[in-house]
Amino acid sequence: MGHAKDQVDPRIVRTRRLLRDAFIELLQEMELEKISVNRLAERATLNRVTFYLHYRDMPDMLDKMADDMIEDITSIINAPRPNRSSAEEVDWPLMVNLLEHIAENFKFYKVILAAKRTTVFTERLLKLLTKLITESVERPGCERDFANSGIHKDIAIWYSSSAMIGTIISWLRNDMPYTPVFLTKQLSLLRQYRQSKS
């Protein structure tokens, strides 16, 4: 959790979690458009007034939930990780951190990313992945490699971030048949394979 979240009143955190969990349950049962504030509050065992103490309306709640998701993912990616054994070492430790976080919160991510119902979450995650990939591509030496290969940097970033989010969504839709470390190794092998063929 981010520093700002640590200072939030625990009752607020609890209420928002109840609303979030109720929203995820309802989204598994019905289309987003059919989820009303009344229905959501009832499922969360709260009243409508409590909902409006936290959010203006349903779109505001989705927007704030997406902000929380990105804050959580950013803190997970940036957190120091214990040293892995040599058998688990991978080229992309940030990707492993991200996939482990998604796996730990499988129900939430499967519903909001893999269900095709709430694009705000997918768009925010795509934006974050694009930022991470851009930082990787703009490292010294990488830009020169792209220039030498004739690949435009922007196109490489678009392709990589779209492929990454597509892989995460497919992984969730298939109930995570691979561990985060194995999936990351496979992505690394794919990258190496593509580079060897170019």
Side-chain angles (χ1 to χ4, degrees):
M1 292 249 173
H3 181 66
K5 279 190 176 182
D6 293 339
Q7 297 178 356
V8 174
D9 184 323
R11 291 170 297 181
I12 293 173
V13 172
R14 181 185 171 277
T15 301
R16 289 183 178 170
R17 178 155 304 270
L18 285 170
L19 288 167
R20 187 190 90 161
D21 292 347
F23 174 74
I24 294 302
E25 287 177 17
L26 288 171
L27 198 57
Q28 290 176 297
E29 299 168 13
M30 63 187 68
E31 294 300 317
L32 177 62
E33 299 75 29
K34 293 183 181 175
I35 301 175
S36 66
V37 171
N38 281 344
R39 189 171 270 163
L40 178 64
E42 184 180 308
R43 180 64 65 97
T45 63
L46 301 167
N47 61 47
R48 291 177 78 245
V49 175
T50 303
F51 175 90
Y52 289 114
L53 289 174
H54 297 271
Y55 307 109
R56 286 189 313 271
D57 51 24
M58 291 296 292
D60 182 52
M61 186 182 102
L62 291 179
D63 198 46
K64 287 192 167 87
M65 282 175 61
D67 287 344
D68 290 344
M69 175 191 77
I70 293 303
E71 186 178 323
D72 288 346
I73 289 173
T74 301
S75 67
I76 293 296
I77 288 171
N78 293 332
R81 303 297 284 187
N83 291 333
R84 298 183 181 277
S85 67
S86 59
E88 291 184 319
E89 285 179 24
V90 292
D91 292 342
W92 298 351
L94 291 181
M95 191 65 194
V96 173
N97 296 354
L98 172 62
L99 293 176
E100 286 176 344
H101 168 72
I102 290 172
E104 288 164 9
N105 297 280
F106 172 71
K107 183 178 176 182
F108 174 75
Y109 284 105
K110 183 168 184 180
V111 172
I112 62 155
L113 294 179
K116 300 180 185 175
R117 293 178 182 159
T118 51
T119 57
V120 65
F121 296 97
T122 309
E123 288 167 5
R124 295 280 178 86
L125 183 55
L126 180 60
K127 185 176 179 182
L128 178 63
L129 290 173
T130 300
K131 178 180 176 281
L132 291 171
I133 290 166
T134 301
E135 290 169 2
S136 174
V137 165
E138 291 179 344
R139 285 183 313 200
C142 281
E143 288 194 67
R144 186 184 64 247
D145 292 343
F146 278 110
N148 291 341
S149 68
I151 299 170
H152 287 261
K153 182 177 71 173
D154 289 346
I155 295 172
I157 292 167
W158 299 338
Y159 172 81
S160 298
S161 56
S162 297
M164 196 71 68
I165 198 160
T167 300
I168 290 169
I169 289 170
S170 294
W171 181 58
L172 288 167
R173 283 186 184 147
N174 288 285
D175 296 325
M176 300 185 308
Y178 308 109
T179 67
V181 171
F182 182 80
L183 182 56
T184 303
K185 284 181 180 178
Q186 290 293 297
L187 292 170
S188 180
L189 288 170
L190 274 169
R191 183 184 65 176
Q192 292 169 20
Y193 177 77
R194 283 197 321 261
Q195 288 173 342
S196 73
K197 296 296 180 186
S198 56

